């Protein structure tokens, strides 16, 4: 009996090992649809063919939710005995590295298609229509938003190469400050009123979005300015990681605008805003209403699995590198995605992140889906939740709690 665990560990294999390559669907989607667009144009289906440039939103809002519904939860956790071997298997980090060249190949292709005046080789008369251009920009933004999650995976690691690759990945969406704020801000303040990336009970996504964007940017700058002062350097020194990240975006888009012309500017804005809006919708649903309680010494209790909403739906897990196993990530921020576990004691979302992103845009539906889950998580005591301050009196009255 003493050898049984070891035997099981030797026999255990990651059933998702090669499925992690599905993460490359987003950065290759544009290349996949181009021959289909050409074939449809040859058949005379010109209007329908241009609808294919909306492949990114279709992937996020339709295909992934349907696949999550079809395949359901994952349920596989690696046993303790294989964790070290799995953590050190370099194949898994190569799965994230390879995202980047495909990402930027798609960005360049998107920039060309957006600005080209003659696409006759594709069967298009003249340039793309504006609906097709908007769909194209959103599709490139979708791969940028998913790329922020790829950067998130690499940015938590100790190796310098991975940290630089994280910054490169974030340059597309002009959200490089996320690298600083997420690691040194969000992970410290998660599930507290002080964290701009933790949504509050009753707060709509449309309130949360500007608060999180502005608050995260301010926090990242303050964190780096404080680090610069400790090094006796000006906050405007180029070793400030926020400035470095922004400079990478300026160089990237400055070069592409120089190549493709000022007509590219709407593309830059649309793809960037949509890309980081996907990140913020995920931020919104990851900690909605959850609160770490204050201890007698004035500090917050330690972050536990109870302070993150989890989902173990297989397909979105593959696309987001186990981001949905969020409690384990907060407990072990440097742990690589392939070893993250679905943890007991964590509150669970009713479906995968992809299924819920669209619902975050619709406050009445979101609150109908989630408010009773927050209440149940706190055994009916709504005072233990992170409540939107302007709604606190109203919320307490609704649940018959004295203000």
């Amino acid at each position: 009996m003493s050898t049984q665990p070891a035997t099981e560990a030797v026999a255990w294999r990651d059933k998702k090992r090669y499925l992690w390559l599905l993460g490359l669907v987003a950065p290759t989607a544009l290349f996949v649809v181009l021959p289909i667009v050409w074939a449809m144009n040859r058949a005379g289906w010109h209007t329908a063919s241009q609808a294919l440039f909306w492949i990114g939103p279709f992937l996020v809002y339709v295909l992934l939710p349907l696949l999550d519904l079809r395949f359901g939860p994952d349920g596989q956790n690696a046993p303790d005995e294989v964790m070290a071997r799995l953590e050190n298997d370099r194949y898994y980090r190569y799965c994230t590295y390879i995202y980047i060249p495909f990402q930027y190949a798609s960005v360049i292709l998107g920039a060309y298609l957006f600005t080209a005046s003659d696409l006759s080789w594709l069967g298009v008369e003249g340039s793309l229509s504006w609906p097709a251009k908007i769909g194209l920009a959103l599709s490139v933004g979708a791969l940028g938003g998913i790329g922020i999650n790829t950067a998130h995976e690499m940015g938590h690691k100790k190796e310098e190469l991975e940290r630089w690759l994280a910054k490169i990945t974030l340059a597309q969406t002009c959200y490089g400050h996320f690298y600083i704020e997420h690691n040194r801000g969000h992970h410290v303040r998660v599930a507290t009123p002080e964290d701009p990336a933790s949504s509050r009970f009753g707060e709509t996504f449309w309130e949360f979005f500007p608060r999180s964007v502005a608050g995260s940017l301010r926090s990242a700058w303050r964190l780096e300015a404080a680090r610069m002062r400790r090094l006796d350097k000006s906050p405007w020194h180029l070793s400030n990681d926020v400035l470095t990240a922004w400079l990478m975006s300026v160089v990237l888009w400055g070069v592409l605008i120089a190549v493709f012309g000022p007509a590219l500017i709407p593309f830059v804005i649309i793809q960037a805003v949509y890309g980081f809006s996907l990140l913020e919708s995920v931020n919104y649903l990851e900690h909605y209403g959850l609160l770490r309680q204050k201890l007698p010494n004035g500090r917050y209790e330690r972050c536990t699995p109870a302070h993150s909403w989890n989902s173990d739906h297989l397909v979105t897990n593959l696309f987001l590198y186990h981001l949905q196993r969020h409690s384990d990530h907060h407990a072990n921020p440097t742990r690589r995605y392939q070893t993250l576990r679905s943890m007991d004691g964590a509150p669970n979302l009713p479906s995968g992140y992809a299924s819920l992103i669209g619902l975050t845009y619709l406050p009445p539906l979101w609150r109908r889906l989630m408010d009773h889950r927050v209440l149940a998580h706190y055994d009916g005591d709504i005072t233990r939740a992170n409540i939107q301050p302007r709604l606190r009196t109203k919320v307490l009255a609704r649940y018959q709690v004295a203000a």
Side-chain angles (χ1 to χ4, degrees):
M1 291 182 65
S2 61
T3 62
Q4 186 175 358
T7 303
E8 290 178 354
V10 171
W12 187 89
R13 64 186 181 86
D14 182 7
K15 296 177 181 177
K16 303 191 290 288
R17 182 177 178 86
Y18 299 107
L19 293 177
W20 292 114
L21 293 172
L22 289 174
L24 297 178
V25 167
T28 59
L30 270 185
F31 290 96
V32 171
V33 302
L34 280 187
I36 304 174
V37 171
W38 176 85
M40 292 177 71
N41 283 328
R42 292 276 292 183
W45 301 341
H46 299 287
T47 302
S49 72
Q50 296 208 20
L52 289 178
F53 289 109
W54 288 76
I55 182 65
F58 176 78
L59 176 70
V60 171
Y61 301 121
V62 180
L63 185 58
L64 285 181
L66 288 176
L67 291 174
D68 266 343
L69 183 65
R70 167 63 180 84
F71 292 100
D74 179 354
Q76 185 190 45
N77 277 343
D80 291 340
E81 293 78 13
V82 305
M83 291 290 275
R85 170 168 59 87
L86 199 60
E87 182 84 10
N88 294 321
D89 189 338
R90 299 188 72 86
Y91 163 80
Y92 292 95
R93 65 188 74 179
Y94 296 150
C95 288
T96 57
Y97 295 175
I98 200 173
Y99 188 99
I100 303 170
F102 285 113
Q103 173 191 5
Y104 279 99
S106 291
V107 167
I108 294 169
L109 174 61
Y112 162 70
L113 292 172
F114 192 90
T115 56
S117 58
D118 181 11
L119 291 172
S120 55
W121 62 270
L122 196 56
V124 177
E125 295 182 5
S127 61
L128 293 179
S129 67
W130 266 104
K133 286 185 176 184
I134 293 171
L136 173 65
L138 293 176
S139 294
V140 173
L143 75 89
I146 296 172
I148 294 177
N149 177 66
T150 309
H152 165 262
E153 167 63 25
M154 294 184 288
H156 271 292
K157 304 306 175 282
K158 297 177 181 178
E159 294 187 14
E160 192 66 22
L161 170 63
E162 290 182 279
R163 295 188 175 212
W164 269 103
L165 290 176
K167 295 176 186 178
I168 291 170
T169 308
L170 291 167
Q172 178 198 335
T173 49
C174 308
Y175 226 58
H177 58 277
F178 170 82
Y179 167 81
I180 296 96
E181 162 56 19
H182 180 82
N183 290 2
R184 289 156 48 198
H186 174 66
H187 272 262
V188 173
R189 300 182 299 243
V190 61
T192 70
E194 289 79 22
D195 180 31
S198 293
S199 59
R200 301 157 178 170
F201 185 89
E203 182 180 28
T204 71
F205 171 74
W206 304 109
E207 293 175 292
F208 169 80
F209 181 48
R211 180 174 72 83
S212 184
V213 170
S216 296
L217 194 155
R218 284 195 301 267
S219 176
W221 180 260
R222 288 168 182 164
L223 288 167
E224 273 301 275
R227 186 176 73 88
M228 290 295 97
R229 285 193 293 271
R230 290 195 297 271
L231 297 174
D232 292 325
K233 294 180 179 179
S234 164
W236 297 97
H237 194 276
L238 277 180
S239 56
N240 181 323
D241 281 337
V242 174
L243 290 180
T244 304
W246 290 345
L247 185 60
M248 291 173 75
S249 295
V250 169
V251 170
L252 167 67
W253 291 113
V255 169
L256 290 180
I257 290 171
V259 171
F260 295 106
L264 188 65
I265 293 173
F267 175 86
V268 176
I269 296 170
I270 293 169
Q271 67 82 31
V273 173
Y274 182 63
F276 64 70
S277 77
L278 290 177
L279 163 74
E280 295 299 352
S281 64
V282 169
N283 277 339
Y284 178 78
L285 59 86
E286 283 176 334
H287 304 284
Y288 177 74
L290 301 180
L291 179 66
R292 288 156 57 195
Q293 306 301 314
K294 273 196 172 181
L295 302 173
N297 62 7
R299 295 184 177 182
Y300 287 102
E301 64 180 322
R302 182 180 178 183
C303 185
T304 71
H307 299 120
S308 302
W309 290 102
N310 277 242
S311 170
D312 202 26
H313 280 67
L314 175 64
V315 177
T316 303
N317 263 343
L318 292 170
F319 274 78
L320 297 182
Y321 305 113
H322 272 161
L323 179 68
Q324 299 179 131
R325 295 183 170 184
H326 209 59
S327 290
D328 195 6
H329 168 66
H330 272 279
N332 304 282
T334 60
R335 179 173 285 178
R336 294 190 179 273
Y337 69 91
Q338 67 269 23
T339 60
L340 290 174
R341 296 174 172 178
S342 185
M343 302 183 74
D344 293 333
N348 280 286
L349 295 166
S351 188
Y353 284 6
S355 304
L356 300 176
I357 287 174
L359 285 180
T360 65
Y361 306 154
L362 306 169
L365 293 182
W366 173 258
R367 295 198 63 186
R368 187 168 186 175
L369 181 73
M370 290 301 299
D371 282 9
H372 69 94
R373 286 181 164 84
V374 175
L375 191 64
H377 178 61
Y378 288 117
D379 299 320
D381 185 0
I382 198 62
T383 63
R384 294 166 59 194
N386 185 8
I387 302 172
Q388 174 75 327
R390 70 174 182 82
L391 297 176
R392 186 170 185 84
T393 301
K394 184 178 178 180
V395 167
L396 295 181
R398 178 182 177 186
Y399 294 100
Q400 299 181 341
V401 178

